Amino acid sequence: MSQPKHQLETFRAWAGKSSDISYYLNSHHVDFHEWCAGESARPVRVHAVASTGVAKGKFNIDTEDTITLVVQWQNLGGEADGSLGTALYTSSWVAPKADVHSQQRFFYMGHRGEISVDQAHRGYNMAADGDGYRSVNPLFMKYTPTNGFFSGQTGYGYRSFEVFVDAVAQINSGAKTAADFDEELATAASTFRTTAVLEAGRASLDLGGKVVELMYEDASEPCRPTGLRPVA
């Protein structure tokens, strides 16, 4: 996944300080992978590599341009129990301006088939004087009002706030517990592996490219990481 380099100017306040490009963009596809895998697999090793030059040279920001995480996953249970898979997650914020703001692609090849996803191109193309050629996502946000009132509630971000507030109301009323939403929302409990992978990637870079293992010390929760350990 990549975004144009002017994003570095937008994110100057925190880029390379409190976060990096992997936390910002790789998080999306790692989280998607974790959601797809459910309890059937877990990440066990992470090795990170990076490219540099543009952020420092053009924007004077001391951070990586592109980060790739090489993550080994271990299957749990069933006929594939113990077998290993390899995932590569790449994110960058030094891409040139293109027909889309975010280049997003996902390819999966498993034991019995494969899937290719192009999330960047939604089938809507436009060309206009001054704007050039664009591949647009008309469902991303509705910027124009309806009868003078904002009507973008079904666009990016708004529904996630709505369902979060609804969940909080149900928890506060005693109708549900936080654990009831682990299958519906991106709760802390449902994103442990994603967070661990991203942190292991950062640790790998900071340690000069060492492989970092994810530890699972609680047998009752085989998919919840309990720590990270660099491999000597």
Side-chain angles (χ1 to χ4, degrees), residues 39-82:
E39 299 292 306
S40 67
R42 64 186 185 186
V44 292
R45 294 178 187 85
V46 179
H47 173 224
V49 292
S51 301
T52 59
V54 176
K56 183 65 175 178
K58 185 177 178 63
F59 297 93
N60 196 30
I61 299 175
D62 190 14
T63 190
E64 297 89 358
D65 297 343
T66 303
I67 294 177
T68 295
L69 305 179
V70 183
V71 183
Q72 194 168 53
W73 285 72
Q74 179 186 46
N75 287 307
L76 303 174
E79 61 183 49
D81 187 31

Side-chain angles (χ1 to χ4, degrees), residues 121-182:
H121 301 90
R122 312 300 177 98
Y124 296 84
N125 304 313
M126 296 178 60
D129 292 340
D131 289 335
Y133 177 80
R134 293 182 296 157
S135 296
V136 299
N137 178 5
L139 302 179
F140 182 78
M141 178 58 70
K142 185 178 185 295
Y143 297 99
T144 56
T146 300
N147 296 326
F149 294 96
F150 174 75
S151 57
Q153 293 90 338
T154 59
Y156 175 77
Y158 285 89
R159 289 193 63 194
S160 60
F161 283 109
E162 178 185 359
V163 296
F164 173 76
V165 171
D166 288 344
V168 170
Q170 293 180 70
I171 293 171
N172 287 341
S173 70
K176 289 190 174 183
T177 67
D180 292 330
F181 294 95
D182 288 343

Side-chain angles (χ1 to χ4, degrees), residues 107-127:
F107 173 75
Y108 165 82
M109 183 175 66
H111 289 185
R112 298 177 180 174
E114 64 182 43
I115 301 172
S116 295
V117 179
D118 181 353
Q119 296 173 294
H121 301 90
R122 312 300 177 98
Y124 296 84
N125 304 313
M126 296 178 60

